[in-house]
Amino acid sequence: MSNLQPENSSNQPCPCQSGTHFQACCQRYISGDALPETPELLMRSRYSAYVHANLDYIERTTQADARPQYDFEGLRSWAENSEWLGLNIHDTDIDGASGRVRFTARYRQNGNIINHSEDSKFVLEEGRWFFVHGRDYTPPVNKTVGRNDPCLCGSGKKFKKCCLV
């Protein structure tokens, strides 16, 4: 299933689940009209770029020294063949020119729902934030989700009708 950017995506809710329209949120970063001011905004825009399989943005926002570690064409294939279900930012911190974002990105691939939780490192270079690397992360468990509770992915559906399937 391809998640390539539809022509009218600017009026759609932003995939990063900020609650604003894509055009007013992540699209301005992905298009290069603005720079993300924080590691969290960069993380959200990178998630949205994965949803739209825009790996050019992913590559541009990866620190130059880290780029050789990544197979961007392989990532493009993965992004295009995933159904993106939501993003949850657990916490962030900035210490000078270094930042961290802990998050869980949810996607479905080959019928399986994946919760990808990561602790990502970012650096500020010449006024721009860049992704450096991510490490596995175990998010804190806040509560048990029941079958009839709202789904954690933010879809508005009951857990049993959404991500439990």
Side-chain angles (χ1 to χ4, degrees):
M1 167 182 292
S2 176
N3 286 306
L4 296 177
Q5 183 173 333
E7 289 182 28
N8 65 349
S9 66
S10 62
N11 293 326
Q12 299 296 318
C14 193
C16 82
Q17 298 185 302
S18 64
T20 61
H21 292 292
F22 180 57
Q23 183 178 28
C25 192
C26 292
Q27 185 180 38
R28 60 196 177 114
Y29 303 130
I30 294 169
S31 69
D33 292 339
L35 294 175
E37 299 87 11
T38 65
E40 179 179 350
L41 290 174
L42 180 56
M43 180 64 245
R44 288 180 177 280
S45 64
R46 285 174 59 92
Y47 174 82
S48 293
Y50 275 113
V51 170
H52 293 293
N54 186 328
L55 271 291
D56 294 337
Y57 181 74
I58 299 298
E59 187 170 0
R60 278 195 324 269
T61 58
T62 300
Q63 184 188 39
D65 292 343
R67 288 179 193 152
Q69 301 171 43
Y70 297 96
D71 171 12
F72 292 103
E73 283 309 309
L75 288 172
R76 181 183 318 277
S77 176
W78 168 68
E80 290 174 344
N81 290 295
S82 296
E83 177 187 358
W84 297 91
L85 304 173
L87 175 67
N88 183 18
I89 303 291
H90 300 291
D91 62 64
T92 66
D93 60 67
I94 299 173
D95 184 12
S98 179
R100 292 174 58 184
V101 177
R102 288 161 216 74
F103 70 92
T104 299
R106 297 174 52 76
Y107 63 95
R108 185 184 329 259
Q109 191 171 50
N110 301 322
N112 298 312
I113 293 177
I114 312 295
N115 290 309
H116 173 77
S117 297
E118 185 174 299
D119 181 349
S120 293
K121 179 180 178 184
F122 296 84
V123 294
L124 184 64
E125 296 178 347
E126 299 178 12
R128 292 184 63 182
W129 286 101
F130 292 93
F131 169 79
V132 180
H133 63 74
R135 301 198 192 300
D136 287 341
Y137 173 70
T138 303
V141 177
N142 294 331
K143 74 170 209 160
T144 303
V145 179
R147 293 173 41 82
N148 290 316
D149 288 336
C151 191
L152 296 175
C153 77
S155 68
K157 297 177 184 177
K158 291 184 179 181
F159 183 63
K160 69 182 178 186
K161 294 287 187 177
C162 189
C163 293
L164 183 62
V165 293

